[in-house]
Amino acid sequence: MELKMELNSLKDAFDRVAKKQRLSSSKTQEVVDQIVQEIEKAIEMVQSTTIDYKSILAELKIKLHEMAPHSQLEGTQKELNMALSKYPKALEKALNPDISKAYRNIEFDSHTVNQIIASHFYRQGLFDVGDCFINEAGDAEAAAAMRSLLQEMYQILEAIKSRNLEPALEWAVKNSDKLKENGSDLLLRLHHLQFVKILQKGSRDEALKYARTNFASFAGNHMAEIQKLMGCLLYSDRLQESPYAYLLSPTNWDIVAEELTRQFCNLLGQSYESPLSVTIAAGVQGLPPLLKFMTVMAGKKQEWQSMKQLPVPVELDKEFQFHSVFVCPVSKEQSTDDNPPMLMSCGHVLCKQSVNKMSKNSSKTFKCPYCPTDIDAARCRQLNF
């Protein structure tokens, strides 16, 4: 939200500069037109009269002096220059290029990082780029196994773009049990598209034969959808003008491609979104408050390096919130590895330090802050989210 506000502020500043530039340009054109008009009048008089041209030029000089073009342009140009001088400062303030201030000396597993980066390229179908990166990183094993699997997925998706469902159907049939366990109806959706594709060609008998062969196993849970598809048979020669025209929408293919990607990654134990993309997007949101904090704490960089928790709240959108966060209702602090959440016998939860404090280091029982139950610290169990 804060980043969005800053970007909106930048856009407003840019719009002001653009507006001043348009006004200045318009005023300049107006003055130039006036000058050209006076010069053309003078030329016409020189060519059409016997009056001494010197007097005509002298009169032109007086008119141009009275027009004062420099004075007319000075105001708008000054406003434009002021707006232009402020905009770079706004850019520098909002888009601070020096992000190193928020950097912490953390040891990274270079093998894992290389694997994430290479997998990102492979997900996009950029296999040559991914191979080049792996070779230059000198980590040939980083994504070798993942490469062949993601290449299979990419080839299936490319086939779907070409309206060829055979590779996708073959993969879905091979993994049908796992897809069923995940609650995915991908196989039915693929058969659905193939059925409509056959029907589009006007092959009613072939479509009916395909339906009898492939839809029977789905009848128990998807009868309504299958009945709609059967209704399409009545309009095989004019499906585009039928009540089922929506089945021809290209969006249906996009939805199936997305579901296939999701399920393929799921069976590989990978997230649907590229981990690299998610990390960068979350970093874009989280970096501004950290940079502001470091600006304030400029003289205390060493403290930042030694902190176990973020020193300021960093709000991320829901798509970047993957783990539950527990805040102790007594201490108002988030749980950590050293101060984990503890489940009490009554079912309520406090952090370990609060339990120790209230029980005087397990030397006595205490009452739960939420209910009248007497709590024995020894019976509290660590809770893992």
Side-chain angles (χ1 to χ4, degrees):
M1 182 62 71
E2 186 175 353
L3 176 62
K4 186 177 181 180
M5 290 176 63
E6 289 185 355
L7 292 177
N8 286 337
S9 176
L10 278 180
K11 183 179 182 301
D12 292 341
F14 176 82
D15 290 342
R16 285 194 292 271
V17 172
K19 182 179 179 180
K20 297 294 183 185
Q21 193 277 333
R22 288 193 297 270
L23 289 173
S24 177
S25 177
S26 176
K27 186 63 177 178
T28 300
Q29 188 62 50
E30 179 185 338
V31 172
V32 169
D33 289 344
Q34 291 175 0
I35 294 173
V36 170
Q37 186 178 4
E38 292 300 329
I39 293 175
E40 287 177 344
K41 284 181 181 179
I43 293 173
E44 186 178 347
M45 289 180 66
V46 170
Q47 293 175 342
S48 63
T49 66
T50 57
I51 302 174
D52 183 14
Y53 73 90
K54 291 184 179 180
S55 61
I56 295 175
L57 292 178
E59 185 179 351
L60 174 62
K61 182 178 179 181
I62 293 172
K63 286 184 178 180
L64 293 179
H65 181 73
E66 290 175 348
M67 285 172 57
H70 181 269
S71 299
Q72 288 191 58
L73 297 175
E74 186 177 17
T76 55
Q77 188 62 40
K78 186 176 181 180
E79 291 179 1
L80 175 59
N81 290 340
M82 288 179 62
L84 284 171
S85 65
K86 291 179 180 179
Y87 189 59
K89 295 177 182 177
L91 280 174
E92 185 176 352
K93 181 180 179 182
L95 305 176
N96 190 337
D98 183 16
I99 64 174
S100 63
K101 292 186 293 185
Y103 174 76
R104 295 185 67 181
N105 296 323
I106 299 175
E107 292 185 6
F108 287 100
D109 181 349
S110 59
H111 176 75
T112 301
V113 173
N114 290 339
Q115 188 178 34
I116 290 172
I117 295 173
S119 294
H120 175 79
F121 289 129
Y122 294 151
R123 281 170 176 261
Q124 311 303 316
L126 303 173
F127 295 98
D128 291 341
V129 178
D131 291 343
C132 180
F133 169 78
I134 288 298
N135 290 333
E136 293 190 9
D139 195 356
E141 298 180 0
M146 191 62 64
R147 183 192 193 284
S148 60
L149 293 171
L150 290 175
Q151 188 169 25
E152 181 187 1
M153 182 183 78
Y154 180 75
Q155 290 171 345
I156 293 173
L157 292 174
E158 285 299 298
I160 290 177
K161 288 180 183 178
S162 302
R163 298 303 188 252
N164 177 12
L165 291 169
E166 293 302 328
L169 281 166
E170 183 180 344
W171 180 86
V173 169
K174 184 171 65 176
N175 295 278
S176 58
D177 291 339
K178 295 177 181 177
L179 291 173
K180 191 178 295 184
E181 289 176 7
N182 292 340
S184 172
D185 61 351
L186 175 62
L187 183 55
L188 174 61
R189 293 188 185 190
L190 289 168
H191 284 311
H192 173 159
L193 288 179
Q194 187 74 340
F195 171 82
V196 174
K197 182 182 174 183
I198 295 171
L199 198 58
Q200 263 187 294
K201 296 177 181 178
S203 306
R204 181 187 298 180
D205 293 340
E206 187 180 346
L208 181 58
K209 181 180 177 182
Y210 186 87
R212 286 172 174 168
T213 303
N214 297 286
F215 288 154
S217 60
F218 300 100
N221 297 321
H222 302 277
M223 180 56 74
E225 183 174 350
I226 293 173
Q227 287 174 339
K228 289 180 182 178
L229 293 173
M230 293 301 97
C232 294
L233 293 170
L234 300 173
Y235 302 90
S236 59
D237 56 343
R238 47 194 173 93
L239 196 57
Q240 187 69 51
E241 302 169 0
S242 73
Y244 306 101
Y246 66 92
L247 296 176
L248 302 177
S249 172
T251 304
N252 296 322
W253 290 78
D254 296 336
I255 293 172
V256 166
E258 181 179 337
E259 176 65 10
L260 187 139
T261 303
R262 190 181 302 278
Q263 293 303 324
F264 201 108
C265 292
N266 187 28
L267 296 187
L268 292 179
Q270 299 287 316
S271 62
Y272 169 66
E273 299 287 349
S274 163
L276 183 62
S277 297
V278 173
T279 301
I280 292 175
V284 168
Q285 285 194 14
L287 193 57
L290 292 178
L291 286 173
K292 286 185 177 181
F293 172 78
M294 289 311 300
T295 300
V296 175
M297 300 283 290
K300 301 182 179 180
K301 189 172 182 179
Q302 192 59 39
E303 292 186 16
W304 165 237
Q305 295 293 339
S306 61
M307 288 179 180
K308 293 183 178 181
Q309 292 185 337
L310 292 176
V312 290
V314 177
E315 297 294 335
L316 297 178
D317 291 343
K318 288 185 177 180
E319 62 263 32
F320 302 124
Q321 298 176 15
F322 300 102
H323 303 288
S324 299
V325 175
F326 176 73
V327 177
C328 178
V330 174
S331 65
K332 308 300 182 185
E333 295 179 350
Q334 288 186 15
S335 60
T336 64
D337 291 341
D338 297 329
N339 185 29
M342 303 296 291
L343 178 66
M344 299 183 291
S345 56
C346 61
H348 293 117
V349 182
L350 300 178
C351 274
K352 186 175 182 178
Q353 290 179 0
S354 297
V355 171
N356 289 340
K357 185 176 181 180
M358 297 178 73
S359 66
K360 303 294 184 182
N361 291 323
S362 303
S363 63
K364 67 171 190 175
T365 60
F366 64 94
K367 286 195 178 295
C368 171
Y370 286 103
C371 64
T373 306
D374 289 326
I375 303 299
D376 181 358
R379 296 180 60 194
C380 295
R381 294 177 295 169
Q382 183 172 330
L383 187 63
N384 297 302
F385 291 108

